[in-house]
Amino acid sequence: MTKTLYLLRHAKSGWDDPVARDFDRPLNKKGEKAARTIGQWMASNGVAFEHVIASPAVRVIDTLDSLWSGYGRKLEPTWDRRIYLASSATLLDVLREVSDEHDSVMMVGHNPGMEDVVFDLVPDDGSSPLREEVEVKYPTAALAQLEIDIDSWGDIGKPVAHLKRFIRPRDLDPELGPDAE
């Protein structure tokens, strides 16, 4: 059996917004556009998932709001505070708790945790050019799709995943490239 995991890093947030806590930072306009663009790409490429787990940080909530507007439908996420600025180990613990009735899950959170999950699950054996792209940078609003050779989410953790797709906003719209980061 194979499980599919989508890892979405939140879109670009506004550092010039005067908020008291990092947790409360909203997206900026380019972040909103990037998330909407990724959502449109997901819809046009048949990306589907049964369950969403997300950090409750404002920039993740905003990312999902913009993503859904591009995707054309909304799934209500399970909000999990443990995802906020979590390590890969913590993110994998959260994933191990997912019900096995879900074969396809999207997790929405923060770096470096998102890219570290890719590094922990995809073998570093030179066979994945996409993994090498993640090593260069996992930019905001980027989406990774991993196919994982496990029967149960409880078994996640060994480097047995295949990185099927790694989509960055700049791949879809050059205006959303590095100078916009």
Side-chain angles (χ1 to χ4, degrees):
M1 182 90 184
T2 300
K3 301 285 187 189
T4 301
L5 175 62
Y6 294 95
L7 296 171
L8 178 67
R9 183 177 174 200
H10 69 77
K12 188 72 176 159
S13 57
W15 282 96
D16 53 352
D17 205 305
V19 294
R21 301 181 312 159
D22 173 73
F23 187 86
D24 297 324
R25 270 191 297 117
L27 295 188
N28 64 23
K29 293 295 180 199
K30 285 193 179 194
E32 291 171 1
K33 181 179 180 185
R36 193 170 43 256
T37 300
I38 290 290
Q40 291 166 342
W41 179 89
M42 289 168 57
S44 64
N45 285 276
V47 170
F49 37 86
E50 302 150 354
H51 185 60
V52 180
I53 315 163
S55 161
V58 170
R59 58 190 176 273
V60 172
I61 294 168
D62 290 351
T63 296
L64 284 171
D65 286 345
S66 294
L67 183 90
W68 301 141
S69 73
Y71 190 58
R73 67 186 192 114
K74 178 179 181 176
L75 276 80
E76 191 56 44
T78 298
W79 303 107
D80 193 322
R81 180 75 185 225
R82 294 175 295 170
I83 297 172
Y84 176 66
L85 303 181
S87 67
S88 175
T90 299
L91 296 174
L92 291 172
D93 284 344
V94 170
L95 288 165
R96 285 184 191 102
E97 296 172 8
V98 171
S99 169
D100 288 327
E101 71 182 286
H102 304 301
D103 290 326
S104 184
V105 171
M106 182 168 73
M107 178 179 271
V108 189
H110 312 265
N111 245 8
M114 292 285 113
E115 68 184 25
D116 288 345
V117 169
V118 172
F119 299 150
D120 287 347
L121 296 180
V122 178
D124 185 13
D125 59 7
S127 66
S128 176
L130 291 179
R131 187 184 193 282
E132 293 172 16
E133 287 186 36
V134 173
E135 288 175 10
V136 172
K137 185 166 186 169
Y138 199 125
T140 52
L143 178 71
Q145 178 185 349
L146 287 77
E147 301 294 329
I148 310 169
D149 296 324
I150 53 175
D151 294 324
S152 170
W153 288 106
D155 296 334
I156 199 168
K158 295 179 188 145
V160 295
H162 169 69
L163 183 56
K164 188 172 179 181
R165 297 181 190 165
F166 182 58
I167 305 300
R168 299 163 297 198
R170 71 173 177 226
D171 299 331
L172 308 173
D173 182 344
E175 289 182 14
L176 298 171
D179 60 338
E181 284 289 315

